[in-house]
Amino acid sequence: SIIASQKLTFYQMIENQFHFEKLYHEYKTLVFNVALNYSQNIEDAEEITQDVFVKVYNSLENFNQNSSYKTWIYRITINQCLDYIKQKNSQKRFFIFGKKSQNEAEYLNITTFEHPGVLIENQEEAAILFAVINTLTENQKTAFLLSKLDGLSNPEIAEIMQVSISSVESLVFRAKVSLQDKLSEKFNHYRKKK
C-alpha cells in the first residue's frame, strides 16, 4: 500500500540521517586535515569539507560495500580537493585575463599560506615546502600527502587511489626525488636572500 511505502521511505530517511551524522562525526577531522594539506588555507579546507559531506550525504544510498567508509570518504575528499584547486586556479587565470572581479581581495588572497599545524616562525619554510609539493603531478602529490602527512600504509593508499601497491611505491619515490631536487634549489635561493 501507499501508506506502508511512505512509512518505509520515512524510516529509511531517518536511518540515512542517523548514519550520515555518525559518519560526519567520525570522519570530519580526517576530511578537514586532507583538505588543509591540499589547500593550505583554513577557509578553503572548511569549504571543501562541507562539499565533501554534501557529496557523502547524497551518495550514501549508493555506497558500494566493496571498500570501507574510510576509503570511500578519502576518495571523495581527494577528488573534491583536486576539483576545488582546479576551479580556483581557473578563477585566478580568469582574473588575470578576464574582467576584474568586484571582490579583488578574493583573488589576491588565493595564494596565502595558512596551516594551523605549522608554527609561525616556520611559516615561510613551510610555504616553500607546500609550494614545491603543489608542483608534483596529481598522483604523486596524492600518494605523497597520504603517505607522509596522513601516515597511511602503501596498501591503504593503493586502495584509496585504486592503483597497485607498486604504483604507490613508485609515485612516492618519484615525489621524494622531485621534492629533493626542487627543495634544494628553493632553499639555496631562500638562504641567499636572508
Side-chain angles (χ1 to χ4, degrees):
S1 77
I2 294 174
I3 294 174
S5 168
Q6 288 175 338
K7 278 185 181 178
L8 183 63
T9 304
F10 177 72
Y11 288 123
Q12 285 173 330
M13 285 173 41
I14 291 173
E15 188 178 314
N16 280 350
Q17 183 67 31
F18 174 76
H19 195 68
F20 171 76
E21 287 177 21
K22 187 176 166 196
L23 287 174
Y24 175 77
H25 290 294
E26 188 171 344
Y27 294 108
K28 67 182 176 186
T29 303
L30 178 144
V31 170
F32 178 78
N33 287 336
V34 170
L36 188 60
N37 289 336
Y38 271 89
S39 68
Q40 295 104 45
N41 181 291
I42 293 170
E43 289 176 6
D44 290 347
E46 288 170 346
E47 188 172 333
I48 291 168
T49 300
Q50 182 178 354
D51 293 345
V52 165
F53 282 105
V54 166
K55 285 189 177 182
V56 166
Y57 183 79
N58 290 334
S59 304
L60 200 51
E61 287 180 11
N62 302 324
F63 173 69
N64 172 341
Q65 299 290 336
N66 291 339
S67 63
S68 68
Y69 282 115
K70 182 179 179 182
T71 299
W72 181 60
I73 290 173
Y74 255 116
R75 272 189 212 130
I76 292 171
T77 303
I78 291 165
N79 288 331
Q80 189 62 39
C81 288
L82 295 173
D83 290 347
Y84 187 87
I85 290 166
K86 283 177 192 168
Q87 178 191 8
K88 201 150 193 182
N89 287 339
S90 70
Q91 287 175 340
K92 221 192 300 191
R93 278 194 292 280
F94 179 75
F95 175 68
I96 293 167
F97 299 111
K99 295 180 181 177
K100 271 195 173 179
S101 167
Q102 298 292 359
N103 184 1
E104 231 175 291
E106 178 184 319
Y107 291 100
L108 299 176
N109 196 23
I110 283 173
T111 56
T112 60
F113 178 82
E114 187 186 321
H115 198 300
V118 177
L119 297 173
I120 289 176
E121 58 268 16
N122 297 335
Q123 291 262 330
E124 198 170 347
E125 286 97 350
I128 292 170
L129 174 62
F130 275 100
V132 173
I133 289 172
N134 291 337
T135 66
L136 296 172
T137 66
E138 283 182 3
N139 281 345
Q140 285 178 3
K141 179 179 177 179
T142 297
F144 183 81
L145 291 175
L146 293 176
S147 173
K148 302 306 176 192
L149 295 181
D150 290 355
L152 297 181
S153 68
N154 288 348
E156 289 173 308
I157 297 168
E159 187 178 352
I160 290 166
M161 294 182 68
Q162 297 178 317
V163 297
S164 69
I165 295 171
S166 61
S167 292
V168 171
E169 291 167 350
S170 175
L171 288 167
V172 171
F173 176 78
R174 284 185 283 153
K176 281 195 227 174
V177 169
S178 181
L179 289 173
Q180 285 173 339
D181 292 346
K182 292 175 181 178
L183 283 173
S184 65
E185 291 173 24
K186 286 271 187 195
F187 279 109
N188 285 335
H189 177 71
Y190 173 72
R191 286 188 191 106
K192 288 176 188 173
K193 284 183 7 182
K194 277 195 158 191

